[in-house]
Amino acid sequence: MSVDVETVLVSRLRAAGCVFAEDEARLLLEAASGPAELDALTARRVAGEPLEQVLGWAGFRGLRIHVEPGVFVPRRRTELLVEEAVRLAPPHPVAVDLCCGSGALGAALAAELDLAELHAADLDPAAVRCARRNVPGEVHEGDLYEALPDGLRGRVDLLVVNVPYVPTDAVALMPPEARLHEPQLALDGGADGLDIARRVVAGAPEWLAPGGHLLIETSEQQAPLLSRAAAGAELAARVVTSDELDATAIVARRA
């Protein structure tokens, strides 16, 4: 592609409000097999589709995670869950990526740990289909723990969960990329954003191995409420944060 093509592409992206137009132009040029495909990809991006869905992948912990249209795009802040899980992992852990979306967490754990078993689960069939391309383990479709094999009860060392935690009234305030192109069920966490998170916490003791950890993404404002929910489930919980990733999570341990 000529420099002129790249210059025009950057101008189109910038006019559409893409803050990192130069970087996006470079990625689109790399992805396109020719001018026709470049124009089609650019049109999708200019129309507001997330760049990751246009490219077909998202970067996560140094991996390229396959992402399909209509599937939740993994965020960099969710890497905090992987950092903590790797630090806490026993030898050859059994890991579960619940509410897995594209399966980014499971894929990252498999890349960084010598796992004995890896399972992932999501309610959304599109997410399950996508995760099966990313997760080197079993991917199940269903509602939270109902999707998991009974044989995992009491055996999970690492339960990593990126639940929907946006309060219902705040979903409409999200950037169009998210609210128009990602599934509502991957965003909406109920009135205070913690409906699903509370269900995950309440059910975790039944599935965690002794000494196993639940790691769940949340917000700074929600963390105290979720910590109390974990204490109510007889889990020893603490809040972890990362300024670099702008991330907050609860880490809860079963005695």
Side-chain angles (χ1 to χ4, degrees), residues 194 197-198 201 216-218 222-231 237 250:
L194 293 176
R198 288 191 186 93
V201 168
I216 183 167
E217 184 173 315
T218 189
Q222 295 164 327
L225 289 172
L226 198 54
S227 293
R228 285 198 288 274
I250 298 295

Side-chain angles (χ1 to χ4, degrees), residues 11 19 36 43 65 76-77 127 143 165 181 216 224:
S11 296
V19 177
I65 301 297
R76 185 164 179 259
R77 62 175 172 267
D143 186 18
Y165 60 90
H181 295 279
I216 183 167

